[in-house]
């Protein structure tokens, strides 16, 4: 059919065999793209039939304003990587509160789809993956209706899960959907030996069409000024490399371990520095402190407010570190991406470790600069001596 052919809402519902609440959600959320008056282009319906969403480049991009994720929570500005729940209201139709939703559709994209508000901090995962899929396929044996969808190039691009809301929240819907989708992706990755990272995900309320997203706060845009060609302290090359590794992935388990190692390495370097000073100077215990190594009282550090980094390290070691780092545990299971509970808990610990690693690296660099007299006046002029 021609690209200018359109269908009425009723015709769309009949063709797709959709109950009115589901049709309402699909129309108002943008799963059929933009409406033309009270009609839908047939190409949009064809895309939904084949791909479960729209991959039409002519629709343009619907990207979130990064400043939304920087909005203070409880009066405090949150650090990067802090998870924030964002809800996008429908742009057309009769608005229905998400509190009235009867069910949900959950999408887990394996490559970013710019029409569905991808994570603005995601740098990669924009190209097709190498698993071919001829068309939509229902996943047999899943505890919820679950479908695999390709992109227009015939590559696996998304997993969609359908569910009833009951009395749960959008976050609980995400947890249920994740626990269905994750083992599907795990099995595919193992069977075909192919990486299958989740680029971004969304929950669409039925019938409200409200889109719910869980997104980490992205980096603040900054201008590059003067900087060294590499870490100026050989002792901290590894800690600095681990910090970059930790913040350059959207996998919270990888982030957690790399940032833990960055913090651990920087702490060890400072221990060597202290031992060296003890041999040479009487003020061996005087550290240069540019950032207090104690957690401020903000939302991202809930449960850790006021703790020293050492206290936080011991708490995380018992609750997270060992379970993330090891495949076996006495008396329990490791923390893996197999369940939403583990995923959310580890993702919530990432900003804590990120703060510890960056602050400690900053302070240890200042300590080494003090001894080497490198940029002493500019870098530690306001340092607190202890």
């Amino acid at each position: 059919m021609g690209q200018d052919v359109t269908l009425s809402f009723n015709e769309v519902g009949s063709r797709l065999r959709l109950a009115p609440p589901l049709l309402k959600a699909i129309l108002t959320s943008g799963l059929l793209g933009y409406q033309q008056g009270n009609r839908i282009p047939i190409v949009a319906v064809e895309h939904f039939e084949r791909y479960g969403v729209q991959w039409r480049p002519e629709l343009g991009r619907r990207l979130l304003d990064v400043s939304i994720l920087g909005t203070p929570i409880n009066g405090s500005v949150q650090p990067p990587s802090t998870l924030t729940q964002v809800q996008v209201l429908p742009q057309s139709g009769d608005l229905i509160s998400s509190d009235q939703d009867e069910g949900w559709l959950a999408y887990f994209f394996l490559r970013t789809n710019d029409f569905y508000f991808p994570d603005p901090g995601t740098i990669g995962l924009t190209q097709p993956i190498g698993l071919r899929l001829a068309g939509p396929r229902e996943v047999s044996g899943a505890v919820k209706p679950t479908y695999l969808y390709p992109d227009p190039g015939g590559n696996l691009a998304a997993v969609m899960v359908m569910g009833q809301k009951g009395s749960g929240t959008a976050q609980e819907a995400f947890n249920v959907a994740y626990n269905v989708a994750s083992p599907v992706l795990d099995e595919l990755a193992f069977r075909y030996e192919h990486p299958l990272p989740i680029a971004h995900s969304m929950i669409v309320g039925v019938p409200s069409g409200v889109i719910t997203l869980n997104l980490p706060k992205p980096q603040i845009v900054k201008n590059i000024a003067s900087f060294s060609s590499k870490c100026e302290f050989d002792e901290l090359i590894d800690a600095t490399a681990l910090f970059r590794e930790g913040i350059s992935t959207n996998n919270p388990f990888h982030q957690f371990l790399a940032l833990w190692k960055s913090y651990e390495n920087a702490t060890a370097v400072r221990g060597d520095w202290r031992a060296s000073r003890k041999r040479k100077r009487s003020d061996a215990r005087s550290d240069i402190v540019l950032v207090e190594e104690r957690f401020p009282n903000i939302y991202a550090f809930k449960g850790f407010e006021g703790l020293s980094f050492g206290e936080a390290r011991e708490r995380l070691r018992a609750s997270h570190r060992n379970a993330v780092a090891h495949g076996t545990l006495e008396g329990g299971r490791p923390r893996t991406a197999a369940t939403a509970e583990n995923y959310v808990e580890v993702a919530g610990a990432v900003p804590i470790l990120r703060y510890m690693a960056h602050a400690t690296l900053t302070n240890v660099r200042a300590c080494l600069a003090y001894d080497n007299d490198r940029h002493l006046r500019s870098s530690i002029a306001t340092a607190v001596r202890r």
Side-chain angles (χ1 to χ4, degrees):
M1 294 186 181
Q3 295 292 315
D4 56 347
V5 176
T6 61
L7 300 176
S8 69
F9 293 170
N10 287 337
E11 290 171 327
V12 171
S14 296
R15 173 163 172 165
L16 297 178
R17 299 178 182 178
L18 299 175
L22 189 54
L23 175 62
K24 168 71 175 174
I26 288 171
L27 288 171
T28 57
S29 64
L31 289 175
L32 288 171
Y34 297 116
Q35 302 173 13
Q36 296 180 2
N38 291 324
R39 301 184 70 83
I40 298 295
I42 195 167
V43 66
V45 179
E46 292 170 344
H47 257 246
F48 183 81
E49 288 176 320
R50 186 162 183 78
Y51 312 125
V53 292
Q54 304 297 305
W55 288 96
R56 294 181 289 147
E58 66 268 22
L59 293 178
R61 312 173 75 194
R62 292 195 300 177
L63 302 180
L64 288 174
D65 182 353
V66 175
S67 65
I68 294 175
L69 299 177
T71 303
I73 301 176
N74 296 335
S76 299
V77 176
Q78 304 306 307
S81 299
T82 303
L83 280 181
T84 304
Q85 186 176 95
V86 176
Q87 291 195 316
V88 182
L89 300 178
Q91 298 183 8
S92 60
D94 299 326
L95 295 182
I96 298 175
S97 171
S98 60
D99 293 336
Q100 299 175 264
D101 280 333
E102 304 169 3
W104 44 263
L105 303 175
Y107 286 86
F108 298 89
F109 291 99
L110 305 181
R111 56 174 294 201
T112 51
N113 186 321
D114 283 349
F115 193 64
Y116 297 104
F117 310 102
D119 175 359
T122 297
I123 299 173
L125 308 173
T126 60
Q127 298 302 312
I129 64 171
L131 286 183
R132 305 292 289 177
L133 186 65
R137 177 177 297 182
E138 185 171 4
V139 178
S140 62
V143 297
K144 298 283 186 185
T146 304
Y147 301 85
L148 304 181
Y149 284 102
D151 60 18
N155 303 284
L156 176 63
V159 180
M160 190 266 276
V161 182
M162 304 176 66
Q164 297 297 313
K165 182 180 178 183
S167 59
T169 63
Q171 182 60 49
E172 290 169 338
F174 170 84
N175 293 348
V176 171
Y178 182 96
N179 288 341
V180 174
S182 180
V184 172
L185 294 174
D186 293 344
E187 183 62 21
L188 286 169
F190 172 76
R191 182 180 295 270
Y192 298 105
E193 294 191 65
H194 203 288
L196 294 175
I198 296 174
H200 71 283
S201 60
M202 68 177 183
I203 301 290
V204 178
V206 178
S208 71
V210 171
I211 293 176
T212 301
L213 309 158
N214 288 315
L215 300 173
K217 180 183 174 181
Q219 320 307 126
I220 299 172
V221 176
K222 298 177 181 178
N223 296 319
I224 295 178
S226 60
F227 69 103
S228 302
S229 60
K230 66 179 183 65
C231 177
E232 56 187 321
F233 308 108
D234 290 344
E235 303 95 318
L236 290 175
I237 285 177
D238 292 329
T240 304
L242 286 164
F243 185 82
R244 179 174 72 89
E245 182 181 340
I247 68 172
S248 298
T249 173
N250 74 336
N251 184 309
F253 297 87
H254 300 168
Q255 289 177 309
F256 183 96
L257 285 178
L259 291 169
W260 182 284
K261 291 195 292 184
S262 176
Y263 166 73
E264 191 175 55
N265 188 277
T267 301
V269 170
R270 180 163 56 190
D272 292 342
W273 176 82
R274 287 171 175 168
S276 175
R277 284 176 61 81
K278 186 175 182 179
R279 291 192 297 268
K280 295 178 181 179
R281 297 180 176 85
S282 60
D283 58 340
R285 296 292 179 179
S286 294
D287 293 353
I288 304 300
V289 181
L290 299 181
V291 182
E292 183 182 9
E293 296 184 12
R294 189 173 294 277
F295 286 96
N297 185 14
I298 61 176
Y299 170 81
F301 304 144
K302 185 177 181 181
F304 288 77
E305 305 97 320
L307 293 184
S308 69
F309 286 4
E311 292 169 327
R313 177 190 60 212
E314 293 309 309
R315 179 176 294 186
L316 288 171
R317 187 190 303 278
S319 63
H320 285 69
R321 188 268 179 192
N322 293 340
V324 173
H326 300 294
T328 59
L329 288 174
E330 293 185 6
R333 294 174 56 184
R335 288 186 183 272
T336 71
T339 67
E341 178 184 10
N342 281 346
Y343 181 90
V344 172
E345 286 192 12
V346 174
V350 168
I352 295 171
L353 265 179
R354 180 170 178 160
Y355 186 76
M356 290 169 62
H358 192 268
T360 304
L361 259 171
T362 298
N363 289 338
V364 178
R365 284 186 177 219
C367 290
L368 298 178
Y370 179 86
D371 272 1
N372 295 337
D373 198 26
R374 297 174 181 176
H375 312 300
L376 180 61
R377 293 179 182 175
S378 61
S379 63
I380 61 173
T382 60
V384 178
R385 297 289 304 278
R386 72 178 183 189

